[in-house]
C-alpha cells in the first residue's frame, strides 16, 4: 500500500491545512478577545456587590468556563492533529482530504464531498467528517465502487464517479 494511503493513526485525527488555520484563528480569538472580555465582565459583576445572588456574575463565570473548555479542546486537537495537505496526496484510493464525486444510484443525482476533520465538517459546503458513515464507507474505495450508507432513517447507495486531491 502506498505511503499516503495510510493517513492518521490511533492517537491522532487528520486535519487539513485549512482546518488547522481555522482552529489557530479560533484559538487566537478565544485567548486574545473572548478570555479578556469575560474577565472584564466578571470584574464588573463583582463590583456590583454580593456575588452570591448576582446573575451577571454567574452568567459571566459560566461563559468563562465554556471559553476555557473550548481553549483546552482546541489546544488538544491541534496538539494531537496530523496536518494533511490534500494537494500533496498521491493515492490511487480515496483517503482523507479527497474530493469525491458520487452518484446516487437511485436518483442519479451527483454530489461532491471533501473528506475533512471533524471540526471542519459542513455538509452544506460539501465537507464531510472523516468520522461520518459516508466518509468511513468511502475510505479505500476507487472509481466505480459502490458505497452503501445506512442512517437511522434510510439506506442509500452511491457510485464513486471519481475523486481528486486538491
Amino acid at each position: 500500500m502506498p505511503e499516503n494511503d495510510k493517513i492518521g493513526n490511533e492517537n491522532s485525527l487528520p486535519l487539513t491545512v485549512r482546518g488547522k488555520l481555522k482552529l489557530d484563528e479560533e484559538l487566537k480569538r478565544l485567548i486574545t478577545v473572548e478570555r479578556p472580555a469575560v474577565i472584564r465582565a466578571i470584574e464588573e459583576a463583582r463590583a456590583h456587590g454580593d456575588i452570591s445572588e448576582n446573575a451577571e456574575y454567574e452568567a459571566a463565570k459560566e461563559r468563562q468556563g465554556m471559553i476555557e473548555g473550548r481553549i483546552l479542546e482546541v489546544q488538544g486537537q491541534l496538539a494531537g492533529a496530523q496536518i494533511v495537505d490534500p494537494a500533496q496526496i498521491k493515492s490511487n484510493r480515496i483517503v482523507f482530504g479527497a474530493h469525491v464525486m458520487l452518484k446516487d444510484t437511485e436518483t442519479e443525482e451527483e454530489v461532491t464531498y471533501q473528506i475533512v476533520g471533524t471540526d471542519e465538517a459542513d455538509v452544506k459546503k460539501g465537507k464531510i467528517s472523516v468520522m461520518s458513515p459516508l466518509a468511513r464507507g468511502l475510505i479505500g474505495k476507487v472509481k466505480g465502487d459502490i458505497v452503501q450508507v445506512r442512517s437511522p432513517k434510510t439506506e442509500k447507495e452511491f457510485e464513486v464517479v471519481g475523486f481528486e486531491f486538491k
Side-chain angles (χ1 to χ4, degrees):
M1 189 179 285
E3 189 175 309
N4 282 329
D5 279 357
K6 288 191 174 187
I7 292 182
N9 64 45
E10 295 168 14
N11 300 321
S12 71
L13 281 177
L15 189 64
T16 65
V17 174
R18 189 175 302 134
K20 180 188 182 306
L21 291 175
K22 187 177 167 188
L23 284 178
D24 284 340
E25 288 170 6
E26 180 183 2
L27 184 61
K28 182 178 179 183
R29 180 183 51 76
L30 287 167
I31 291 172
T32 62
V33 177
E34 300 289 330
R35 182 187 271 169
V38 79
I39 289 170
R40 280 192 303 277
I42 290 170
E43 289 170 353
E44 287 174 19
R46 271 196 192 135
H48 293 136
D50 185 9
I51 61 173
S52 65
E53 294 181 18
N54 188 328
E56 288 176 15
Y57 177 80
E58 290 301 319
K61 287 299 282 183
E62 186 175 321
R63 176 87 177 122
Q64 182 183 37
M66 291 182 348
I67 290 169
E68 294 302 325
R70 182 62 183 158
I71 288 171
L72 289 173
E73 183 181 350
V74 171
Q75 287 173 332
Q77 288 173 330
L78 289 169
Q82 178 185 1
I83 310 305
V84 177
D85 182 355
Q88 301 300 313
I89 297 173
K90 306 283 186 255
S91 177
N92 57 358
R93 296 190 172 277
I94 296 170
V95 295
F96 177 86
H99 290 261
V100 185
M101 290 70 76
L102 301 170
K103 180 169 64 174
D104 185 316
T105 58
E106 189 177 312
T107 66
E108 299 288 312
E109 180 184 344
E110 292 194 10
V111 293
T112 300
Y113 293 115
Q114 181 183 19
I115 301 172
V116 297
T118 53
D119 263 10
E120 301 172 81
D122 185 342
V123 176
K124 292 177 183 170
K125 292 183 179 178
K127 296 177 182 300
I128 59 172
S129 167
V130 68
M131 303 304 285
S132 70
L134 178 56
R136 292 167 71 144
L138 288 169
I139 300 292
K141 298 290 192 255
V142 297
K143 182 178 178 177
D145 281 353
I146 301 294
V147 178
Q148 292 183 338
V149 181
R150 285 194 180 109
S151 73
K153 296 179 184 176
T154 184
E155 185 172 320
K156 285 203 160 263
E157 192 175 86
F158 296 97
E159 177 184 348
V160 176
V161 177
F163 62 95
E164 61 186 353
F165 301 97
K166 56 182 177 177

